[in-house]
Amino acid sequence: MSDKMQISISWGTFWRLIFMTAVAAVLFLSIDMLLAVFVGIVISSALDPFVSVLARLKIPRVLGAVLVFVAILLIFAGAIYSITPVLVQELNAFLEQFFPVIAHWVNVDPLKLSNIYDISFEKLAEFIPLGRGGEFLQFSQSVLGNVTLVLAVFAISFYLLVDHKGVERFLREILPDRYEGPLTEIFLRSRDKLGYWLQAQILLSFFIGVSVAIGLYALGVEHALLLGIIAGIFEIVPFVGPVLTGTISVLVAMSQSSTLGIYTIIL
């Protein structure tokens, strides 16, 4: 005699399963917007203290948010304007020195190229599908989607800066009464932590970039400014970033002398 096992599922369980599946599908399809909301929350949390200081000085939050964004744009524009000429020279010298190695990595014969810029144009033509119908349309949609995502991040950040209690009120509206207080408190604490993290990460990246550039320049390592900028950018990647930057710096120093490479390792 064989025993038969029966599994019964109530209609309530079935509809809950359908609902959870639908929610998962919606979240998957809207992953880009969820990412934009998350990044917007992080940026607004990092900038909120500055807007709050302006608000205490009787400056409206809308104007304060505009002033903070304009100040950030001016700082970036000033940094790019002052660093770009020297950085371009550094980059050209770096490519000229390590051109054969780079050409080997990207599978290009350096003897067939008239100058180092051909390597970028030749490889760029492979990745930008100009004149290939549907591929070009898909490429255009991808670029437009990325631009839209960036604009959405700025819009969300600006809105949250102007109305810094907007998300809190939204959570209080949609959450049940018994979960409203604890979950809202968790969100506020998490938002503050994320804001502090971004502030500290920007400061750390700046400090590391300047320190590496000055240290390598003092040692006499070539392309110190370029390596310092790379170090500052990759500092945001835990563990892997500093190791990668250190490896590149040591290889550049080793190309000058083994002693300089050892000093760079110590640095």
Side-chain angles (χ1 to χ4, degrees):
M1 179 181 294
S2 60
D3 297 332
K4 293 183 177 180
M5 182 176 62
Q6 294 183 344
I7 301 176
S8 60
I9 301 178
S10 65
W11 279 106
T13 303
F14 174 77
W15 287 115
R16 280 196 293 269
L17 179 62
I18 295 295
F19 175 75
M20 294 303 298
T21 304
V23 170
V26 170
L27 292 177
F28 177 78
L29 294 175
S30 59
I31 187 66
D32 287 344
M33 279 310 303
L34 292 176
L35 178 62
V37 171
F38 175 76
V39 176
I41 291 175
V42 174
I43 294 176
S44 64
S45 301
L47 300 181
D48 184 72
F50 304 103
V51 179
S52 298
V53 169
L54 295 177
R56 286 195 290 269
L57 297 176
K58 307 302 182 182
I59 298 177
R61 290 193 68 89
V62 175
L63 180 58
V66 171
L67 291 176
V68 169
F69 272 111
V70 170
I72 293 174
L73 291 176
L74 290 177
I75 291 173
F76 272 105
I80 293 174
Y81 179 79
S82 58
I83 293 177
T84 297
V86 182
L87 182 60
V88 169
Q89 295 178 359
E90 287 263 329
L91 186 58
N92 288 337
F94 180 84
L95 290 176
E96 289 176 357
Q97 181 177 354
F98 297 98
F99 178 64
V101 178
I102 296 175
H104 176 72
W105 283 349
V106 297
N107 195 24
V108 173
D109 185 3
L111 299 178
K112 295 181 179 179
L113 302 176
S114 58
N115 56 66
I116 62 174
Y117 299 104
D118 291 337
I119 189 174
S120 60
F121 293 138
E122 181 173 320
K123 302 307 290 185
L124 187 62
E126 298 179 5
F127 295 106
I128 300 181
L130 296 175
R132 283 186 264 174
E135 293 185 12
F136 176 71
L137 180 60
Q138 184 178 2
F139 173 77
S140 303
Q141 290 175 344
S142 176
V143 172
L144 182 61
N146 291 331
V147 172
T148 304
L149 191 63
V150 172
L151 293 177
V153 169
F154 278 104
I156 293 170
S157 304
F158 184 82
Y159 167 76
L160 293 178
L161 279 176
V162 173
D163 187 8
H164 65 297
K165 291 186 177 181
V167 177
E168 180 181 353
R169 286 198 296 268
F170 174 74
L171 291 176
R172 294 187 183 279
E173 289 291 335
I174 65 172
L175 291 175
D177 292 339
R178 58 177 178 173
Y179 298 126
E180 178 184 305
L183 291 180
T184 303
E185 181 66 22
I186 291 174
F187 166 76
L188 294 176
R189 292 172 58 187
S190 301
R191 185 185 65 180
D192 293 340
K193 295 290 185 181
L194 289 172
Y196 297 148
W197 170 83
L198 183 58
Q199 294 173 13
Q201 193 62 56
I202 293 174
L203 183 62
L204 179 63
S205 296
F206 176 78
F207 175 77
I208 291 296
V210 172
S211 300
V212 170
I214 293 176
L216 294 178
Y217 181 79
L219 290 177
V221 179
E222 297 176 346
H223 321 299
L225 176 61
L226 178 62
L227 295 173
I229 293 175
I230 294 175
I233 294 174
F234 279 93
E235 181 61 28
I236 199 171
V237 183
F239 304 109
V240 178
V243 171
L244 178 62
T245 304
T247 302
I248 296 174
S249 301
V250 170
L251 290 176
V252 173
M254 284 287 188
S255 68
Q256 298 177 242
S257 71
S258 56
T259 303
L260 187 58
I262 294 175
Y263 289 152
T264 304
I265 293 175
I266 296 174
L267 173 66

